[in-house]
Amino acid sequence: MTMAASGNPSHPRSDRHHPQTLSMLDFKGAAYATSAKAIKAELDNLKSQAGADKKFKTEMDGFYLLFTRFLDDRAKGSKLNWDKIQSPSKDQIVPYKDIPKGGPEDLAKLAVLKLNGGLGTTMGCVGPKSAIEVRDGMTFLDVSVRQIEYLNKTYGVDVPFILMNSFNTDDETKRIVRKYETHKVTIHTFDQSKYPRIKKETFLPVPRTPDAPIDQWYPPGHGDLYESIYNSGLLDELLSQGKEYLFVSNVDNLGATVDLNILHHMIEKDSEFIMEVTDKTKADIKGGTLIDYNGQIRLLEIAQVPDEHVEDFKSIKKFHIFNTNNLWINLKAVKKIMEEDNMDLEIIVNNKTTDNGEKVIQLETAVGAGIKHFKNAHGVNVPRSRFLPVKSTSDLFLVTSNLYSLVHGQLSMNPKRMFNTVPLVKLGDEFKKVNNFLNRFKTIPHILELDHLTVTGDVTFGADVELRGTVIIVANHGERIDIPPGSILENKVVTGNLRILDH
C-alpha cells in the first residue's frame, strides 16, 4: 500500500477569490444584514485565536459564505415552486440496460472515494461506522479495500482509494488504514470541514474558541466534498496523476462497486456528472429524487419539500426513482467550477437540540445537489443490487445471511433466490445495537424463501433456523420467545411465551 494523508496540508488551498462580500448580498431586511455582520465578527474572533492554522481560517471563511447564502435565501423567501417540478425526461434518466459494455482501458483515469464521515452510534458502536464488521469478519473498510485491490490486480492498474473523513472519524480511520500497508492499493485520506453550530435564537456560533468541545461543531454534510477536496490539495494531486473521474459512494453501501459500463458511458457521452438512481419501493420514500426544474436536472431532497407536498414527494407514482448516492464526477469540471466560485448547493437546515437542551441549527449540503452545475449531467437507472446500504441491524441481518455471498469484496445475491427482490425485515429495539443483535442469533437464519420478517420483544433464534414467506414473531412485555434450533417457520405468526432452557 502506498499511503498519502491529504487531510491536513500545511498550506491548504485558500487562494480563491470570494466575491460574496456583505455589501454585495441582496438582503431585503436590515435584521439579516445585522446577523451577517454579527457572525462575521464572531468568526473573525475565532480566526484571531487560531494562530497559524490556515485550514481552520479557510473553514471559517467557507462557513461565512454558507451562512450568508442561508440568510440571503431567507430574505428572498427562496422556495421551490412546486408547480414547476416535472419528472425527468427520457434523456435525463438512462436505463442501465441501454448502456454499452465498457472495458478496463478507462480505469487509468479513475479514482474511487468513499464518504466516511459517519459514526456507528445508531447501531450501538463506538468509532467510525466503516469499522463495523459486516460479513465474514470483514468491516466496511475491509470490503472496500478488497474490491479496489482486486480491481488493480486483475487489470494491472492503480486506481487510488480515497476516504473523506469527518473530524469524528479522521484520527481513528488513519490508525485503521495502516493495516492495509501490504495491499496493492494507494490510499488517500482527507477530512471535510468543521463548522460551528449556530444558536437558533441568536444566529451566533456556539463555540467561543477554536478548541471548544467537539459537540459544538459539526461536519456540514457530504456536499462539502467539493470544497474540502479542493482546499486539501488532493484534487490537484489527482489531476497531476492523470486521474479525471471520481466514483463517489457512501462507505456503508456494499453494492457500490466500480462499474466499467457506467465509466465508459460517462466518457463516451462527455458527461461531467452521473448519478446512479434506482426504482423506489415503499422502503425508500424519503430518499432524494431527480427532477426537471425549469428544464434543468436537479436533486430534490425531502428536507426541501414544503410540508403540504411531503406526501406527494413520498409517492411512488410521481417520483418512481431515488438517488443511491453513487456518483461519477469529472474532476477537471470540479476544479473549473470551484475556481469560478460557482458551486452553489441548496442548503439543508438541520435543527438539533444539544444534550443541555439548547436549540441549534446546522447548515448542510448534499453532494448530489451539484448535478445542476455539470455539463451533460444525467441519471442512470441501475439495478437494485447497486444499492445495498447497511443503516441498521435489519440491513445487517440481510447482508450476513445466505441471501448473499462475498467474492473479492463484492456481494452477490444467491442464484437460488427465486425473486430479485430483497425481503422486508423489521427487527425491534431489542436488536437495534450490534452486540444485542449478535447475541440473539446462534446463527443467522436461512432466508432464501423469505418475503417479510417482523420481530419485536425478547426473541432469540437457535442455530439453522429457516424462515419462509411472511413470518411475524411478537414477544409482549414480560414474555420471551426462543425459536428452537432447526425450526422451519413458513407464513407463521408466533406470539406468547416459548422458553428453551439448558439442563
Side-chain angles (χ1 to χ4, degrees):
M1 176 193 81
T2 307
M3 185 173 164
S6 308
N8 291 291
S10 56
H11 300 289
R13 291 292 298 267
S14 58
D15 53 348
R16 270 188 301 152
H17 172 57
H18 286 309
Q20 299 97 321
T21 61
L22 184 58
S23 61
M24 295 174 65
L25 289 167
D26 182 22
F27 293 125
K28 287 187 177 176
Y32 292 120
T34 302
S35 291
K37 190 174 181 180
I39 201 165
K40 187 173 191 312
E42 293 280 339
L43 294 173
D44 285 346
N45 180 45
L46 284 169
K47 287 163 60 177
S48 71
Q49 302 174 59
D53 190 344
K54 291 185 178 181
K55 183 175 184 294
F56 178 83
K57 294 176 181 180
T58 299
E59 288 174 346
M60 292 307 98
D61 288 343
F63 177 75
Y64 176 67
L65 293 179
L66 184 66
F67 185 79
T68 50
R69 278 208 301 118
F70 160 71
L71 290 179
D72 201 26
D73 287 348
R74 284 172 66 99
K76 292 176 179 175
S78 302
K79 282 189 177 181
L80 282 171
N81 184 335
W82 194 258
D83 294 333
K84 291 184 178 180
I85 292 176
Q86 303 291 329
S87 296
S89 61
K90 288 185 178 179
D91 60 339
Q92 288 174 324
I93 304 284
V94 178
Y96 181 81
K97 62 181 175 58
D98 293 347
I99 293 176
K101 292 200 175 298
E105 62 275 3
D106 302 319
L107 287 173
K109 297 179 179 180
L110 182 69
V112 172
L113 184 147
K114 295 289 184 181
L115 302 169
N116 185 48
L119 294 168
T121 46
T122 55
M123 294 173 71
C125 296
V126 177
K129 185 177 182 181
S130 55
I132 296 174
E133 284 191 12
V134 288
R135 178 88 197 199
D136 302 344
M138 297 177 70
T139 66
F140 287 108
L141 268 183
D142 293 337
V143 170
S144 296
V145 170
R146 179 75 63 88
Q147 290 170 8
I148 302 302
E149 182 181 35
Y150 180 70
L151 189 76
N152 287 339
K153 284 183 176 178
T154 301
Y155 298 111
V157 292
D158 183 17
V159 174
F161 180 64
I162 305 163
L163 293 165
M164 184 174 87
N165 306 326
S166 69
F167 60 83
N168 289 317
T169 63
D170 192 50
D171 289 344
E172 183 66 20
T173 298
K174 284 175 179 174
R175 282 194 288 272
I176 292 169
V177 296
R178 289 176 191 154
K179 70 179 181 179
Y180 305 123
E181 288 178 355
T182 59
H183 294 247
K184 184 178 170 53
V185 57
T186 301
I187 297 179
H188 299 273
T189 68
F190 69 99
D191 53 331
Q192 66 182 116
S193 302
K194 183 174 79 171
Y195 283 174
R197 284 177 154 179
I198 297 298
K199 298 175 184 178
K200 190 170 185 178
E201 295 300 318
T202 64
F203 279 177
L204 292 176
V206 175
R208 306 290 297 170
T209 61
D211 59 354
I214 208 73
D215 61 358
Q216 296 183 17
W217 308 86
Y218 74 98
H222 42 57
D224 185 60
L225 182 151
Y226 305 107
E227 187 88 15
S228 292
I229 197 170
Y230 181 91
N231 288 336
S232 71
L234 182 56
L235 176 60
D236 286 338
E237 185 180 338
L238 291 170
L239 288 169
S240 72
Q241 295 169 358
K243 306 302 178 185
E244 297 181 29
Y245 307 100
L246 187 67
F247 174 45
V248 178
S249 63
N250 297 340
V251 75
D252 63 5
N253 180 6
L254 296 175
T257 58
V258 171
D259 187 286
L260 298 179
N261 300 346
I262 297 176
L263 177 59
H264 181 69
H265 170 75
M266 183 180 195
I267 297 171
E268 187 181 58
K269 295 298 182 182
D270 195 24
S271 172
E272 293 181 347
F273 191 107
I274 287 177
M275 176 184 289
E276 294 185 36
V277 298
T278 196
D279 291 344
K280 186 188 286 189
T281 69
K282 289 181 180 179
D284 315 304
I285 55 176
K286 293 184 178 180
T289 191
L290 284 179
I291 59 170
D292 183 301
Y293 194 76
N294 287 335
Q296 183 184 48
I297 194 164
R298 297 265 291 267
L299 175 67
L300 178 64
E301 298 277 9
I302 192 167
Q304 300 165 256
V305 178
D307 291 343
E308 64 269 25
H309 293 292
V310 167
E311 291 308 312
D312 293 340
F313 177 83
K314 292 179 178 179
S315 166
I316 295 175
K317 291 179 181 177
K318 181 161 185 174
F319 301 108
H320 66 274
I321 51 96
F322 72 98
N323 169 29
T324 65
N325 222 35
N326 298 349
L327 309 170
W328 301 77
I329 306 173
N330 183 302
L331 290 174
K332 289 181 178 177
V334 172
K335 183 175 173 67
K336 181 174 184 290
I337 293 166
M338 295 305 296
E339 289 187 336
E340 294 174 354
D341 282 307
N342 283 335
M343 191 60 78
D344 179 8
L345 306 178
E346 287 78 14
I347 296 172
I348 299 166
V349 180
N350 193 349
N351 292 285
K352 297 275 189 180
T353 302
T354 64
D355 291 341
N356 62 8
E358 184 174 27
K359 294 189 181 301
V360 298
I361 59 171
Q362 299 178 177
L363 304 180
E364 303 175 5
T365 57
V367 63
I371 191 170
K372 65 182 180 181
H373 292 299
F374 293 87
K375 295 175 184 174
N376 298 326
H378 59 275
V380 172
N381 193 341
V382 297
R384 183 76 184 203
S385 58
R386 291 192 58 75
F387 185 67
L388 291 173
V390 180
K391 304 291 185 187
S392 66
T393 51
S394 295
D395 298 327
L396 192 61
F397 174 88
L398 289 169
V399 301
T400 53
S401 73
N402 66 333
L403 196 64
Y404 295 101
S405 58
L406 186 66
V407 181
H408 303 304
Q410 186 161 348
L411 275 185
S412 300
M413 188 175 283
N414 193 321
K416 294 179 181 177
R417 170 79 172 171
M418 294 177 65
F419 325 102
N420 288 328
T421 55
V422 174
L424 182 62
V425 175
K426 295 180 180 179
L427 301 179
D429 288 344
E430 291 79 6
F431 294 79
K432 192 173 182 180
K433 295 184 177 181
V434 172
N435 282 343
N436 294 344
F437 167 86
L438 294 173
N439 289 334
R440 290 184 176 277
F441 293 100
K442 201 74 173 176
T443 61
I444 300 297
H446 303 294
I447 61 169
L448 284 181
E449 297 179 43
L450 180 67
D451 297 321
H452 180 139
L453 172 66
T454 295
V455 183
T456 59
D458 187 2
V459 180
T460 63
F461 292 78
D464 299 318
V465 171
E466 185 169 350
L467 306 174
R468 302 173 183 169
T470 296
V471 177
I472 299 171
I473 305 171
V474 179
N476 293 318
H477 182 69
E479 298 176 337
R480 175 170 164 173
I481 296 175
D482 297 331
I483 304 299
S487 300
I488 298 176
L489 301 179
E490 182 170 3
N491 296 321
K492 290 285 188 287
V493 176
V494 182
T495 62
N497 264 306
L498 177 61
R499 298 296 308 275
I500 298 177
L501 303 174
D502 293 327
H503 64 86

